[in-house]
Each structure stands twice: as structure tokens, then as C-alpha cells.
Amino acid sequence: MSEDEIPSAARVPESSGVDLARVALRAAKEQAKAKGAAAQQKKQARRGGGLRSGARADGRDPLPLGAAINRLITERGWETPAAVGGVMGRWPQIVGEDLARHCVPLRYDEDPDERVLTVQCDSTAWATQLRLLAPRLVARLNEDLGHGTVRVIKVLGPGGPQRRFGPLRAPGSTGPGDTYG
């Protein structure tokens, strides 16, 4: 087969001296870059550490405390529990001073199906009052926290005293009925 019979796609162009020089230069630059990076790492290791701060801001710079806490809350996905905690701190402003004196938020449970705020009252009368106000209170809380944050308010009555058994106690007596559950 002669050179004329070889298809043009199958022909390999011969490298000229200029092309060989470009390839050699590119290889030398890559080697120098790798050698420089290795020397820089070795130099930093001798100084006692990795990256150092420069003139421009980056993720390693110190932050104000509020910004650092907000960043932590966002990274961990604690937005809703933190917001609910804020509501628990502002409970008297949300429900009113009178109701806040008798009803205290205990906890917030966030399951995929239910988002429940548990509130304990100091008497059954206040527990009944809070049960009647629960739909309006859920709407008010969701205005502050975002739609669907609280779906149910679970109202607990007062906790009774611990039962003690002894010679002066009548079995089965719990005390006045209007102050327990």
C-alpha cells in the first residue's frame, strides 16, 4: 500500500520540532507546579499547620457570637426547635399575663405526623380554659413560627402529690377533686 492509498483519517501526522518543544514545555511546567505545591505543603508543615488566614474573609475567620449561633442552628437543622424555644421564653407576651401565671409550656414534640406543644396548668379550671382557647392559640403560634409548626396543644392538668401509704392515710383517697387532672 502506498501513502496515497491510506485514508486521511488513519494517517498520523508527524510531530515537528516545534510541537515536540511545546509538549516538553507543558510537561516541565506541570512538574514545576507539582514540585512547588509539594514544597509549599512541606513549608507549612514545618510552621505547624495547614491553611492560614489571608487578607480576604473566608470560612475560618472569627464570627460574632450571634452569627455563629445562627450558622450552627442552620447547619444542624434546629430552626423549628429554636423558634419554639423562643416562644416558650415569650410565653407571657403570647398568651397574656393572666393565663401565663397558671399555664406553663413544658415541651415541644416534633414527629413527622404530629407537632405537639405540651402545656401544664395549675388547676383543672385553667386547663379547661386553655383547651377552649387552643385553636386560637395554635393560630397565633403559627403566625409567629410559620405555618404548621404547631398542630396540637396538649393540655395537662395539675400533677397530684405523691401518694404515701401509712397508718394515717386512707387508701384510695386522692384529695379535692377540682385540683387533680
Side-chain angles (χ1 to χ4, degrees), residues 37-52:
Q40 183 69 23
Q41 287 176 349
K42 196 182 288 185
K43 186 176 179 182
Q44 285 179 350
R46 273 186 276 143
R47 286 186 185 162
L51 300 174
R52 298 192 183 264

Side-chain angles (χ1 to χ4, degrees), residues 76-96:
R76 302 282 172 104
W78 294 339
E79 289 94 355
T80 302
V84 172
V87 164
M88 290 183 178
R90 296 181 295 127
W91 183 251
Q93 290 86 20
I94 293 172
V95 298

Side-chain angles (χ1 to χ4, degrees), residues 54-174:
R56 294 191 179 97
D58 61 9
R60 299 169 293 139
D61 288 339
L63 295 173
L65 182 62
I69 290 173
N70 289 337
R71 184 173 165 185
L72 180 68
I73 288 171
T74 303
E75 286 174 356
R76 302 282 172 104
W78 294 339
E79 289 94 355
T80 302
V84 172
V87 164
M88 290 183 178
R90 296 181 295 127
W91 183 251
Q93 290 86 20
I94 293 172
V95 298
E97 292 291 329
D98 201 29
L99 190 62
R101 270 188 255 123
H102 299 283
C103 303
V104 179
L106 295 179
R107 68 180 172 273
Y108 175 75
D109 298 317
E110 184 176 10
D111 295 330
D113 299 330
E114 291 290 319
R115 294 177 177 158
V116 180
L117 178 65
T118 304
V119 180
Q120 185 167 22
C121 299
D122 61 0
S123 72
T124 55
W126 282 105
T128 303
Q129 180 68 21
L130 188 62
R131 285 185 190 104
L132 294 173
L133 293 174
R136 280 190 262 161
L137 188 56
V138 167
R140 172 85 163 91
L141 290 170
N142 286 329
E143 282 177 17
D144 285 354
L145 302 173
H147 181 69
T149 304
V150 176
R151 293 188 182 160
V152 177
I153 294 181
K154 182 179 177 182
V155 180
L156 301 177
Q162 292 183 356
R163 291 183 177 228
R164 289 184 253 159
F165 298 100
L168 301 177
R169 298 271 176 198
S173 85
T174 57

